[in-house]
């Protein structure tokens, strides 16, 4: 499908008509020729730096048909593209963690204290952001067995006590029997500081641990005590910010210091303004307790955010599962992934990022495969405007998502069910054959076929395919994996046997790992961390030297633009939690039955405390309008005591369905969320800092349009 105006005028056409003009069906050769022409034009006029293919998104499991992998391999063969760094999931953590703990965030979190260790050793688990069961059914690359609930149930049957620090009670399963601390969203750092203050003032901290394994506690201390700024960060101070009684904070602090304590922190805390601070501060708090590297102690970073953190145990693959080689990127230009709207708005504009001063490229072509920016990005009305600027937008998608609707050239891609492949999660012990279940629908092609055909148009077809077809590639990647496994002492069956069989569990063949922080604790001289000091950096000279006003040399509380304690709350008095949806993965299959059955009057559900509903005369099932100065959307109200007053929850993933310019009618929270970097350090997304108001919707309720095919016009 090609947008009508684009077919007539190519890149000279009006980009503001994206998503508003009919599509014209064309054959594959025409579509691919148009796409190749647009790329060639971009390369000739602005160079490969004018092609953006950051192409963020989850797509589908499968080692070979990895959408971005296919796209990037193709573009690297024709001179490269501007790519994206870090993720929407953990953008802030990915940058701060290497500074303070000297390892990549994703390695750190895979070494979270195990459920078995917690059951055997831990007295108290304090989880900031809970352990939301809804999130544990998911793992990048696919999950072999969904065991998190059973594991957590087993843990709940021990003497371990749980505290759920979250605006939502059901971020912790009922069967866990946790104490619920309904803190104000985004106040966690203040709460952690309050806990730290009690621990320090009552001399309950582990001074030996701080001296041996950490640097910089003494540089942080004057801030904690208030010596440096006149404000002690004591329990009273924390209580006023977090809305948790000061006495509870003191009692919990003492309890934390009296036994084995594990602190959990979900990723959501860093998807917020100054999101870096929560990860730094929890590290500091745990360092004061001195239990890093002890079984069931320290911090579980991202516990419960996806399945395999903590629930994966110590037996994890010690070799890499093979993937299609993406080649060497000829262009080394990138943006922090969530800065896309800003990049499109402001070519040449300068910005700070992790100690660097960078400028935004001038983008002429966007090429997207395997993601849905009209799902994942914040402030979608802003994105929509910025999205009108490039000359050409090409999207490979199986479905008529809002992103496909906002493209010039839509390349219909097959789904995982229509292809042959194999799956293996990133630290899972399973490898699973994915045999084609049905033939591709209509004229759909796989990304491999699409990018092979594009590569041919640049005389790179054979280089792209290496003269292998789908099944040959699948076998090739599996065999490569088998060899790597073999070198690591894991025996996998030959391809034919694997392909005809069920999924394979390697667990029994894998050794129990000893985690990096355990080895560090055993011998910090021999096994230093890869930080400048070799120790845990409670003060970072590196970060301090960046001289950022929104991220200093040690963790601290920053006032925020957007939370219940800010001035803005007088205009928009409700904090919006736009968390991950229960009934789908992001926006995927929102058009499917499971997701649609969970909606009310065809709209996504917004949960609201009965107090907040009563003031606004909102009743159960009412259609309501959520709004702020960035946008507005409709949703169906459900009243619940599970959410603290002043907070509402509208999960992500309802397909963006704008009615004109001012109202989204389906319940997509990203027309409301804030599109700003966490800080100059990480420039991560900050969706979880968002204020809104709600009112009963009394207008005529428009029909959902996003699940039907957009208008087409014959050529
Ligand atoms: N407000 C708010 N926004 C958020 C978040 C939040 O907490 N709050 N969370 C953020 C996070 S953590 C994430 S990870 C993002 C997720 O954002 P995305 O990963 O972009 O969301 P998905 O819906 O998984 O998009 C994947 C798309 O790929 C398509 N697809 C599937 N298989 C294939 C394939 O084989 N080939 C091609 N070409 N396409 C395929 C699917 O149909 C779907 O449209 O959202 C972010 N957005
Ligand atoms: N079912 C399902 N599971 C998923 C996904 C999905 O789309 N669907 N997506 C997966 C992906 S890509 C990711 S990145 C992970 C994300 O994992 P998380 O980031 O952990 O997920 P969220 O659901 O955004 O947030 C978890 C909870 O944190 C709470 N929370 C929000 N803000 C605050 C705060 O300021 N303070 C405190 N204390 N709590 C807060 C919210 O109540 C929310 O329910 O989930 C993964 N799991
Ligand atoms: Mo994510």
């Amino acid at each position: 499908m090609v947008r009508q105006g684009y077919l007539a005028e190519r890149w000279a056409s009006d980009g503001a008509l994206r998503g508003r003009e009919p599509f014209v069906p064309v054959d594959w050769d025409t579509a691919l020729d148009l796409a190749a022409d647009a790329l060639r034009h971009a390369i000739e006029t602005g160079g490969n730096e004018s092609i953006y293919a950051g192409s963020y998104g989850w797509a589908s499991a499968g080692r070979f048909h990895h959408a971005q992998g296919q796209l990037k391999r193709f573009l690297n063969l024709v001179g490269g593209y501007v790519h994206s760094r870090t993720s929407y999931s953990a953008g802030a953590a990915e940058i701060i963690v290497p500074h303070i703990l000297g390892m990549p965030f994703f390695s750190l979190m895979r070494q979270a204290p195990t459920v078995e260790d917690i059951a055997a050793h831990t007295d108290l688990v304090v989880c900031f952001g809970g352990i939301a069961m809804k999130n544990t059914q998911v793992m990048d690359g696919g999950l072999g067995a969904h065991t998190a609930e059973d594991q957590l149930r087993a843990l709940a049957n021990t003497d371990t006590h749980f505290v759920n620090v979250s605006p939502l009670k059901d971020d912790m399963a009922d069967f866990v029997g946790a104490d619920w601390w309904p803190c104000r969203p985004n106040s966690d750092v203040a709460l952690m500081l309050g806990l730290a203050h009690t621990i320090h003032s009552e001399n309950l901290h582990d001074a030996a641990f701080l001296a041996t394994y950490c640097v910089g506690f003494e540089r942080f201390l004057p801030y904690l005590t208030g010596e440096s700024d006149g404000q002690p960060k004591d329990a009273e101070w924390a209580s006023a910010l977090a809305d948790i009684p000061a006495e509870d904070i003191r009692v919990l602090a003492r309890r934390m210091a009296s036994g084995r304590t594990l602190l959990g922190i979900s990723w959501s805390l860093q998807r917020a303004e100054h999101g870096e601070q929560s990860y730094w501060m929890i590290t500091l708090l745990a360092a004061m307790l001195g239990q890093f590297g002890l079984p069931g102690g320290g911090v579980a970073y991202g516990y419960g955010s996806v399945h395999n953190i903590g629930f994966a145990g110590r037996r994890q693959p010690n070799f890499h599962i093979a993937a299609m080689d993406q080649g060497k990127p000829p262009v080394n230009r990138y943006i922090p992934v969530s800065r896309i709207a800003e990049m499109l708005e402001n070519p040449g504009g300068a910005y700070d990022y992790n100690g660097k001063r960078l400028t935004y490229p001038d983008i002429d072509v966007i090429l997207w495969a395997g993601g849905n920016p009209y799902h994942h990005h914040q402030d979608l009305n802003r994105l929509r405007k910025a999205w009108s600027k490039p000359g050409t937008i090409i999207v490979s998608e199986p479905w008529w998502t809002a992103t496909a609707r906002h493209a010039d050239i839509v390349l219909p891609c097959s789904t995982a069910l229509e292809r042959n492949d194999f799956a293996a999660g990133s630290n899972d012990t399973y490898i699973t054959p994915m045999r084609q279940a049905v033939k591709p629908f209509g004229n759909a092609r796989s990304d491999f076929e699409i990018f092979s055909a594009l590569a041919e148009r640049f005389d790179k077809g054979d280089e792209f395919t290496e003269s292998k077809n789908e099944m040959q590639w699948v076998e090739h990647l599996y065999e490569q994996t088998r060899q790597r496994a073999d070198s690591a002492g894991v025996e996998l069956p030959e391809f034919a046997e694997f392909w005809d069989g069920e999924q394979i569990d390697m667990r029994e063949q894998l050794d129990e790992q000893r985690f990096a922080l355990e080895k560090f604790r055993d011998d910090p001289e021999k096994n230093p961390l890869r930080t400048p000091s070799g120790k845990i950096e409670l003060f970072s000279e590196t970060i301090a030297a960046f001289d950022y006003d929104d991220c200093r040399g040690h963790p601290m509380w920053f006032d925020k633009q957007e939370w219940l304690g800010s001035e803005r709350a007088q205009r928009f008095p409700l904090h919006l939690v736009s968390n991950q949806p229960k009934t789908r993965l992001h926006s995927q299959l929102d058009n499917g039955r499971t997701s649609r059955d969970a909606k009310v009057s065809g709209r996504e559900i917004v949960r609201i405390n009965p107090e907040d509903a009563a003031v606004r005369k909102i009743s159960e099932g009412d259609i309501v309008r959520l709004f702020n100065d960035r946008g507005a959307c409709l949703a169906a109200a459900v009243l619940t005591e599970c959410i603290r007053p002043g907070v509402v929850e509208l999960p992500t993933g309802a397909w963006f369905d704008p009615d004109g310019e001012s109202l989204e009618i389906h319940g997509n929270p990203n027309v409301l969320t804030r599109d700003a970097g966490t800080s100059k350090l990480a420039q991560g997304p900050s969706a979880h800092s968002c204020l809104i108001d709600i009112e009963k919707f009394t207008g005529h309720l428009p029909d959902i349009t996003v699940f039907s095919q957009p208008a087409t016009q014959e050529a």
Side-chain angles (χ1 to χ4, degrees):
M1 293 281 185
V2 180
R3 181 169 64 81
Q4 195 177 35
Y6 188 87
L7 196 56
E9 294 178 84
R10 311 274 187 112
W11 41 85
S13 79
D14 181 2
L17 294 175
R18 291 187 180 119
R20 295 165 172 97
E21 238 186 341
F23 282 98
V24 180
V26 299
D27 59 28
W28 268 107
D29 278 336
T30 308
L32 291 164
D33 287 346
L34 286 170
D37 282 354
L39 289 166
R40 219 171 270 121
H41 169 77
I43 293 167
E44 280 161 15
T45 51
N48 285 71
E49 299 200 356
S50 65
I51 300 171
Y52 180 68
S55 192
Y56 182 80
W58 272 58
S60 38
R63 297 302 295 181
F64 171 58
H65 290 289
H66 179 250
Q68 288 96 5
Q70 298 281 349
L71 170 150
K72 290 169 185 174
R73 178 181 169 94
F74 157 65
L75 281 176
N76 283 337
L77 284 174
V78 301
Y81 60 96
V82 174
H83 52 116
S84 63
R85 286 228 179 140
T86 69
S87 65
Y88 279 78
S89 313
E94 284 171 71
I95 298 298
I96 189 84
V97 161
H99 283 296
I100 59 181
L101 288 153
M103 58 185 119
F105 173 58
F106 290 103
S107 321
L108 172 71
M109 83 189 191
R110 282 175 195 147
Q111 305 179 46
T114 65
V115 175
E116 294 72 27
D117 279 348
I118 300 170
H121 300 279
T122 311
D123 303 299
L124 175 66
V125 182
V126 182
C127 285
F128 293 85
I131 305 177
M133 285 319 294
K134 68 178 172 67
N135 287 1
T136 60
Q137 302 305 306
V138 167
M139 186 68 208
D140 51 309
L143 182 56
H146 298 257
T147 53
E149 182 175 337
D150 291 343
Q151 289 173 289
L152 197 62
R153 278 185 189 278
L155 194 52
N157 286 332
T158 64
D159 292 336
T160 312
H161 183 77
F162 285 81
V163 180
N164 172 29
V165 184
S166 173
L168 263 65
K169 183 161 187 281
D170 44 16
D171 278 340
M172 194 81 97
D174 273 345
F175 62 75
V176 176
D179 290 342
W180 181 30
W181 281 34
C183 67
R184 278 197 190 105
N186 296 187
S187 70
D188 307 77
V189 169
L191 199 51
M192 292 174 201
L193 281 161
L195 292 163
H197 191 277
T198 300
I199 291 170
H200 177 259
S201 63
E202 300 187 8
N203 207 18
L204 301 172
H205 57 291
D206 187 337
F209 184 88
L210 292 170
T212 312
Y213 295 98
C214 308
V215 292
F217 186 69
E218 70 294 341
R219 312 254 329 243
F220 163 78
L221 198 52
Y223 170 74
L224 184 67
T225 59
E227 195 191 313
S228 63
D229 62 358
Q231 174 60 64
K233 312 303 172 305
D234 57 13
E236 270 73 25
W237 172 84
S239 167
L241 292 166
D243 194 23
I244 297 289
E247 188 51 22
D248 290 2
I249 298 174
R250 280 188 287 266
V251 170
L252 185 68
R254 291 175 197 129
R255 186 163 184 188
M256 283 166 68
S258 70
R260 183 63 49 85
T261 295
L262 178 68
L263 305 179
I265 183 163
S266 79
W267 295 352
S268 57
L269 268 78
Q270 52 83 61
R271 224 177 294 116
E273 227 181 316
H274 306 115
E276 297 86 353
Q277 302 303 317
S278 57
Y279 270 60
W280 205 352
M281 186 57 211
I282 203 165
T283 305
L284 191 148
L285 182 57
M288 290 175 74
L289 298 173
Q291 299 176 3
F292 274 112
L294 293 178
V299 182
Y301 297 91
Y303 207 50
S305 289
V306 287
H307 173 87
N308 281 16
I309 305 174
F311 298 105
R314 288 177 181 276
R315 294 176 197 265
Q316 299 180 21
N318 49 353
F319 60 91
H320 287 291
I321 310 284
M324 209 181 180
D325 183 18
Q326 296 178 9
K328 276 219 160 47
V331 169
N332 188 26
R333 204 139 177 213
Y334 62 87
I335 56 164
V337 67
S338 68
R339 297 297 85 227
I340 179 172
E342 204 166 293
M343 165 184 78
L344 297 175
E345 280 169 0
N346 192 16
Y351 64 101
D352 290 297
Y353 175 56
N354 199 17
K356 297 181 202 63
R357 188 87 182 145
L358 301 173
T359 54
Y360 288 117
D362 191 351
I363 296 303
D364 182 35
V365 173
I366 294 180
L367 183 47
W368 217 292
N372 186 358
Y374 281 84
H375 161 76
H376 64 234
H377 195 62
Q378 284 64 63
D379 198 352
L380 290 179
N381 293 322
R382 176 185 180 191
L383 178 70
R384 210 173 180 212
K385 280 202 195 83
W387 192 260
S388 70
K389 296 183 76 177
T392 304
I393 297 182
I394 307 164
V395 171
S396 156
E397 243 301 331
W399 311 99
W400 273 118
T401 61
T403 301
R405 284 162 195 267
H406 285 81
D408 299 317
I409 305 172
V410 184
L411 306 173
C413 179
S414 55
T415 67
L417 289 167
E418 299 161 324
R419 308 181 296 226
N420 291 301
D421 209 334
F422 70 104
S426 51
N427 61 331
D428 201 25
T429 58
Y430 290 86
I431 301 191
T432 308
M434 295 169 66
R435 291 177 292 264
Q436 184 186 55
V438 286
K439 290 259 174 290
F441 179 78
N443 293 318
R445 293 184 178 179
S446 68
D447 291 299
F448 174 66
E449 293 168 306
I450 292 172
F451 292 111
S452 303
L454 275 176
E456 270 166 30
R457 284 162 170 77
F458 290 82
D459 291 325
K460 299 280 183 187
D462 290 340
E463 267 179 79
F464 183 83
T465 62
E466 293 177 22
S467 308
K468 287 193 265 293
N469 63 24
E470 176 190 72
M471 256 341 269
Q472 287 167 330
W473 268 106
V474 172
E475 175 163 358
H476 171 72
L477 294 178
Y478 176 81
E479 283 300 336
Q480 227 176 8
T481 302
R482 196 165 75 94
Q483 277 164 25
R484 291 181 190 174
D486 189 59
S487 319
V490 175
E491 203 186 317
L492 295 178
E494 286 189 13
F495 181 70
E497 193 189 326
F498 166 71
W499 191 247
D500 290 333
E502 295 301 314
Q503 64 177 16
I504 295 168
D505 186 3
M506 305 177 281
R507 182 173 303 265
E508 294 310 319
Q509 295 191 63
L510 296 165
D511 291 330
E512 295 228 329
Q513 245 189 87
R514 200 153 165 74
F515 295 147
L517 287 171
E518 294 170 333
K519 294 185 203 159
F520 171 60
R521 186 176 189 108
D522 292 344
D523 190 340
E525 303 284 315
K526 212 174 108 205
N527 309 313
L529 299 180
R530 292 201 192 104
T531 54
S533 61
K535 300 184 179 187
I536 301 174
E537 304 230 331
L538 306 180
F539 187 96
S540 162
E541 295 288 357
T542 312
I543 295 175
F546 296 159
D547 199 23
Y548 295 151
D549 53 1
D550 51 6
C551 186
R552 297 292 192 184
H554 61 71
M556 57 188 279
W557 168 258
F558 286 91
D559 274 339
K560 304 186 189 314
Q561 300 282 319
E562 196 147 343
W563 79 298
L564 288 173
S566 63
E567 215 169 276
R568 192 175 155 88
Q570 308 199 335
R571 276 169 75 204
F572 304 112
L574 299 172
H575 189 113
L576 175 69
V577 169
S578 55
N579 53 358
Q580 308 290 19
K582 274 200 187 84
T583 52
R584 51 185 181 256
L585 177 66
H586 317 128
S587 71
Q588 295 197 40
L589 303 184
D590 186 39
N591 49 339
R593 197 200 303 159
T594 306
S595 180
R596 285 167 81 163
D597 281 354
K599 302 190 190 215
V600 172
S601 310
R603 319 293 138 155
E604 203 62 28
I605 286 171
V606 58
R607 294 200 300 167
I608 179 167
N609 186 283
E611 249 177 58
D612 294 318
V615 181
R616 294 170 177 78
K617 301 201 165 47
I618 292 169
S619 316
E620 183 86 8
D622 279 353
I623 297 296
V624 292
R625 178 174 164 271
L626 289 70
F627 62 96
N628 61 17
D629 49 1
R630 289 183 284 259
C633 69
L634 301 182
V638 165
L639 278 48
T640 174
E641 302 276 358
C642 282
I643 194 158
R644 68 161 275 144
V647 179
V648 296
E649 177 209 34
L650 177 64
T652 58
W655 285 8
F656 175 66
D657 197 349
D659 183 23
E661 306 304 309
S662 57
L663 186 66
E664 198 283 332
I665 61 173
H666 191 194
N668 186 318
N670 276 329
V671 298
L672 302 162
T673 49
R674 181 172 178 271
D675 175 19
T678 49
S679 83
K680 297 188 178 81
L681 186 80
Q683 297 283 9
S686 55
H688 276 311
S689 299
C690 176
L691 293 175
I692 63 161
D693 203 350
I694 295 193
E695 65 186 10
K696 200 167 157 156
F697 179 71
T698 49
H700 166 72
L701 187 61
D703 289 335
I704 300 294
T705 68
V706 71
F707 292 144
S708 15
Q709 183 163 319
T712 55
Q713 201 102 57
E714 289 310 312

Tab-separated table of all heavy atoms in Angstrom, residues 56 58 87-90 267 271 306 580 586, ligand 3:
chain	number	residue	atom	x	y	z
A	56	TYR	N	13.056	0.815	16.818
A	56	TYR	CA	12.901	0.159	18.102
A	56	TYR	C	11.618	-0.667	18.158
A	56	TYR	O	10.614	-0.296	17.562
A	56	TYR	CB	12.843	1.226	19.206
A	56	TYR	CG	12.728	0.645	20.584
A	56	TYR	CD1	13.853	0.149	21.232
A	56	TYR	CD2	11.500	0.567	21.228
A	56	TYR	CE1	13.748	-0.403	22.485
A	56	TYR	CE2	11.387	0.020	22.485
A	56	TYR	CZ	12.513	-0.471	23.117
A	56	TYR	OH	12.405	-1.024	24.361
A	58	TRP	N	9.648	-4.644	19.856
A	58	TRP	CA	9.791	-6.044	20.226
A	58	TRP	C	9.581	-7.016	19.075
A	58	TRP	O	10.035	-8.141	19.120
A	58	TRP	CB	8.819	-6.386	21.362
A	58	TRP	CG	9.414	-6.129	22.703
A	58	TRP	CD1	9.889	-4.932	23.148
A	58	TRP	CD2	9.604	-7.067	23.769
A	58	TRP	NE1	10.344	-5.070	24.439
A	58	TRP	CE2	10.181	-6.370	24.842
A	58	TRP	CE3	9.317	-8.411	23.925
A	58	TRP	CZ2	10.492	-6.983	26.059
A	58	TRP	CZ3	9.628	-9.018	25.125
A	58	TRP	CH2	10.217	-8.307	26.176
A	87	SER	N	17.043	1.690	25.476
A	87	SER	CA	15.694	1.179	25.246
A	87	SER	C	14.651	2.054	25.919
A	87	SER	O	14.978	2.912	26.729
A	87	SER	CB	15.583	-0.232	25.815
A	87	SER	OG	15.732	-0.186	27.226
A	88	TYR	N	13.377	1.795	25.553
A	88	TYR	CA	12.276	2.421	26.300
A	88	TYR	C	12.113	1.720	27.649
A	88	TYR	O	11.570	2.293	28.582
A	88	TYR	CB	10.969	2.353	25.503
A	88	TYR	CG	10.857	3.439	24.461
A	88	TYR	CD1	11.537	3.356	23.256
A	88	TYR	CD2	10.083	4.560	24.699
A	88	TYR	CE1	11.440	4.359	22.302
A	88	TYR	CE2	9.973	5.579	23.752
A	88	TYR	CZ	10.660	5.475	22.560
A	88	TYR	OH	10.561	6.478	21.624
A	89	SER	N	12.551	0.490	27.743
A	89	SER	CA	12.382	-0.285	28.967
A	89	SER	C	13.221	0.282	30.096
A	89	SER	O	12.726	0.507	31.199
A	89	SER	CB	12.822	-1.735	28.739
A	89	SER	OG	12.280	-2.252	27.565
A	90	ALA	N	14.489	0.491	29.817
A	90	ALA	CA	15.429	0.753	30.902
A	90	ALA	C	16.486	1.779	30.504
A	90	ALA	O	17.644	1.675	30.897
A	90	ALA	CB	16.091	-0.565	31.316
A	267	TRP	N	11.576	-1.778	36.804
A	267	TRP	CA	12.098	-0.836	35.811
A	267	TRP	C	11.281	0.439	35.757
A	267	TRP	O	11.765	1.483	35.315
A	267	TRP	CB	12.104	-1.481	34.414
A	267	TRP	CG	13.026	-2.634	34.272
A	267	TRP	CD1	13.952	-3.062	35.177
A	267	TRP	CD2	13.110	-3.526	33.160
A	267	TRP	NE1	14.602	-4.167	34.681
A	267	TRP	CE2	14.103	-4.474	33.454
A	267	TRP	CE3	12.444	-3.617	31.948
A	267	TRP	CZ2	14.449	-5.502	32.569
A	267	TRP	CZ3	12.780	-4.631	31.065
A	267	TRP	CH2	13.777	-5.560	31.376
A	271	ARG	N	11.717	4.778	34.540
A	271	ARG	CA	11.052	5.338	33.361
A	271	ARG	C	10.303	6.586	33.797
A	271	ARG	O	9.100	6.722	33.640
A	271	ARG	CB	10.105	4.295	32.768
A	271	ARG	CG	10.208	4.211	31.252
A	271	ARG	CD	9.324	3.133	30.636
A	271	ARG	NE	9.720	1.803	31.009
A	271	ARG	CZ	8.953	0.976	31.719
A	271	ARG	NH1	7.759	1.319	32.127
A	271	ARG	NH2	9.397	-0.224	32.016
A	306	VAL	N	10.406	-8.499	33.992
A	306	VAL	CA	10.205	-9.564	33.008
A	306	VAL	C	10.468	-10.877	33.740
A	306	VAL	O	10.973	-10.877	34.863
A	306	VAL	CB	11.148	-9.449	31.784
A	306	VAL	CG1	10.726	-8.304	30.870
A	306	VAL	CG2	12.585	-9.280	32.214
A	580	GLN	N	2.428	-1.537	31.942
A	580	GLN	CA	2.307	-2.568	30.904
A	580	GLN	C	0.954	-3.261	31.045
A	580	GLN	O	0.494	-3.508	32.148
A	580	GLN	CB	3.439	-3.596	31.033
A	580	GLN	CG	4.830	-2.983	31.094
A	580	GLN	CD	5.277	-2.375	29.782
A	580	GLN	OE1	4.476	-2.082	28.897
A	580	GLN	NE2	6.573	-2.143	29.657
A	586	HIS	N	2.522	-5.099	24.985
A	586	HIS	CA	2.450	-3.745	24.425
A	586	HIS	C	1.194	-3.576	23.580
A	586	HIS	O	0.100	-3.758	24.088
A	586	HIS	CB	3.729	-3.423	23.636
A	586	HIS	CG	4.975	-3.861	24.338
A	586	HIS	ND1	5.940	-4.634	23.774
A	586	HIS	CD2	5.377	-3.674	25.619
A	586	HIS	CE1	6.895	-4.876	24.652
A	586	HIS	NE2	6.584	-4.309	25.775
B	3	LIG	MO1	10.198	-2.663	27.532
